[in-house]
Amino acid sequence: MKSIIIDDEPDAVEALHLTLMETCPEVAVAGKYTDPMKGLAAIRALKPDLVFLNIEMPVMNGFQLLEEVGDWSFALIFATAYDCFAVKAFRYSAVDYLLKPVNPEELRKAVDKVAESMEG
């Protein structure tokens, strides 16, 4: 499962990547981006199966990024420090909404949901 991580906090990107490697070895991280504009370009270029996306970022927030993408075929998991965006996140068909720091068990469950939706 090819994924990318988009989050303006480098430490959060690395923490999520390490947790993915430890708990979800089937998820290959094809790119890590701290700049939402570069993340947007990567979505278009790499065509990931799964995107881990932060919401509050400078220049362009996660929702604005999704508006720029338009129609997408990837699974979406938000990873954010804010719980106040959860309802809006699910309007964007997010598979899950994880609060940082990401709990490994919750990450595993979220990735399992993505895998099930890809099989079905």
Side-chain angles (χ1 to χ4, degrees):
M1 189 181 315
K2 180 169 56 172
S3 73
I4 64 172
I5 300 170
I6 305 170
D7 190 324
D8 63 307
E9 298 173 42
D11 290 346
V13 170
E14 290 308 315
L16 179 55
H17 187 200
L18 286 171
T19 306
L20 277 167
M21 288 191 308
E22 291 169 4
T23 60
C24 307
E26 73 277 21
V27 177
V29 177
K32 302 180 284 189
Y33 304 92
T34 54
D35 177 335
M37 297 302 290
K38 289 181 179 172
L40 176 61
I43 287 172
R44 292 178 171 148
L46 299 174
K47 308 244 185 288
D49 302 308
L50 172 59
V51 172
F52 292 94
L53 182 61
N54 187 15
I55 295 175
E56 282 295 318
M57 298 182 284
V59 181
M60 175 187 292
N61 71 35
F63 299 125
Q64 292 167 324
L65 184 147
L66 291 171
E67 294 294 330
E68 286 293 317
V69 171
D71 291 332
W72 68 81
S73 58
F74 55 81
L76 174 65
I77 295 176
F78 283 104
T80 182
Y82 302 94
D83 61 1
C84 58
F85 298 112
V87 172
K88 187 173 183 179
F90 288 108
R91 289 193 191 121
Y92 283 84
S93 302
V95 172
D96 215 326
Y97 188 94
L98 304 175
L99 290 176
K100 296 190 279 190
V102 173
N103 175 301
E105 289 177 23
E106 290 177 7
L107 179 61
R108 176 75 259 168
K109 289 178 187 172
V111 168
D112 286 344
K113 282 191 230 175
V114 172
E116 287 170 22
S117 69
M118 290 172 84
E119 290 170 8

